[in-house]
């Protein structure tokens, strides 16, 4: 199973799923997770006053001339301090929290196993998975819109939209943006060989919040830095092998 939005990979938009390309290989040994040896502090992410959202999107990809498009749905839940991403029907979700000091931590929640692998901001930095808070919760950042030309206004589900279009690095991009929600109704990216389209399918302003603390605390919680100590535990390796999409997974599977 792929990272939740990894297929949404525009050449200039570092979207949420791209921040965790779980098919890559992290080459950091367990002993590198000595938090006291971090050369620089993790980046401080700005606080964004966005509205709580429970939204479902659909990502469709195809190779031109798009005879066999492939689609997948995924959910984005956010509030001021947390963002959760989960593929429709997926047994896991990914959650980021903006901490009081502006840094961001991460949790990989395995719902079938009721386990959570927790990553500190330092862990994310060491495995090169530091996220962009704005793009995690809004999919598109203000600087992305700034590289496109603002066009006509419209409506989506009763909200006013603004369309942005342009060509960036040889890719034709169209974004239908909902300013009030800080969320796209559609993002369309086309090259000569490939097209990726993301559409907002449903929106619940009072839907489920990001992974509640009550759920997170009920699950068995494991620090990512402690996974190396479980390499000789056959029972632990059973569920660790299931966490194939967790960042740094390759370090702890033998």
């Amino acid at each position: 199973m792929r990272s939740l939005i990894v297929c949404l990979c525009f050449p200039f938009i570092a979207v949420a799923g791209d921040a965790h390309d779980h098919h890559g290989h992290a080459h950091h040994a367990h002993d590198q997770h000595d938090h006291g040896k971090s050369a620089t502090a993790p980046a401080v992410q700005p606080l964004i006053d966005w509205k709580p959202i429970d939204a479902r999107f659909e990502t469709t990809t195809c190779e031109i001339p798009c005879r066999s498009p492939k689609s997948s749905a995924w959910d984005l839940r956010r509030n001021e301090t947390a963002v959760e991403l989960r593929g429709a029907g997926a047994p896991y979700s990914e959650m980021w929290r903006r901490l009081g000091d502006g840094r961001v931590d991460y949790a990989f929640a395995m719902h079938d196993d009721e386990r959570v692998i927790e990553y500190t901001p330092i862990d994310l930095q060491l495995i090169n998975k530091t996220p962009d808070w704005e793009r995690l919760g809004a999919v598109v950042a203000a600087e992305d819109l700034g590289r496109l030309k603002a066009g006509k206004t419209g409506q989506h589900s009763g909200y006013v939209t603004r369309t942005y279009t342009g060509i960036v690095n040889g890719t034709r991009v169209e974004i239908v943006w909902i300013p009030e929600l800080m969320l796209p109704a559609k993002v369309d990216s086309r090259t000569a060989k490939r097209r990726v389209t993301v559409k907002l399918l449903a929106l619940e302003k009072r839907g489920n919040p990001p992974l509640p603390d009550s759920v997170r605390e009920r699950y068995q919680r494991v620090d990512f830095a402690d996974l190396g100590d479980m390499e000789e535990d056959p029972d632990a390796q059973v569920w660790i092998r299931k966490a194939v999409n967790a960042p740094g997974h390759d370090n702890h599977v033998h």
Side-chain angles (χ1 to χ4, degrees), residues 16-221:
D18 293 329
H20 289 273
D21 180 0
H22 299 156
H23 294 280
H25 295 271
H27 298 288
H28 296 276
H30 171 65
D31 59 4
Q32 284 183 286
H33 292 273
D34 182 345
H35 296 180
K37 295 182 180 180
S38 176
T40 59
V44 173
Q45 303 285 342
L47 179 65
I48 302 173
D49 186 24
W50 52 34
K51 294 184 178 181
I53 288 294
D54 183 347
R56 171 156 290 196
F57 288 87
E58 181 182 65
T59 300
T60 301
T61 62
C62 65
E63 305 302 319
I64 303 299
C66 288
R67 293 193 180 96
S68 302
K70 298 179 180 179
S71 298
S72 59
W74 49 276
D75 298 323
L76 182 154
R77 295 169 180 159
R78 78 180 186 203
N79 57 28
E80 194 175 62
T81 59
V83 174
E84 181 184 6
L85 299 172
R86 184 173 184 178
Y92 71 92
S93 62
E94 302 178 271
M95 193 181 82
W96 292 261
R97 293 185 305 186
R98 185 184 182 277
L99 306 177
D101 60 5
R103 300 183 303 165
V104 175
D105 70 3
Y106 171 81
F108 185 86
M110 304 170 65
H111 301 292
D112 290 350
D113 293 270
E114 295 194 348
R115 295 179 185 271
V116 174
I117 303 174
E118 297 183 324
Y119 299 68
T120 68
I122 293 294
D123 291 332
L124 295 177
Q125 183 177 4
L126 288 173
I127 62 176
N128 196 29
K129 301 298 181 185
T130 302
D132 183 305
W133 182 244
E134 183 177 9
R135 291 186 176 100
L136 282 175
V139 182
V140 175
E143 69 175 278
D144 302 326
L145 297 177
R147 300 181 69 176
L148 304 172
K149 181 179 179 180
K152 63 183 180 181
T153 59
Q155 282 201 343
H156 181 91
S157 299
Y159 293 97
V160 175
T161 63
R162 170 78 70 176
T163 298
Y164 293 81
T165 58
I167 297 176
V168 181
N169 299 332
T171 299
R172 185 177 299 277
V173 179
E174 178 187 50
I175 299 175
V176 180
W177 183 246
I178 305 174
E180 183 179 347
L181 301 180
M182 296 184 67
L183 210 64
K186 184 179 76 170
V187 183
D188 188 56
S189 172
R190 307 187 195 190
T191 66
K193 296 182 178 181
R194 191 166 184 257
R195 181 177 184 180
V196 180
T197 303
V198 176
K199 292 183 179 180
L200 176 61
L201 299 182
L203 188 65
E204 295 288 343
K205 290 191 292 183
R206 297 188 179 183
N208 295 314
L211 188 67
D213 287 342
S214 59
V215 174
R216 185 166 174 160
E217 290 170 2
R218 189 181 78 239
Y219 286 6
Q220 182 173 345
R221 298 156 65 188

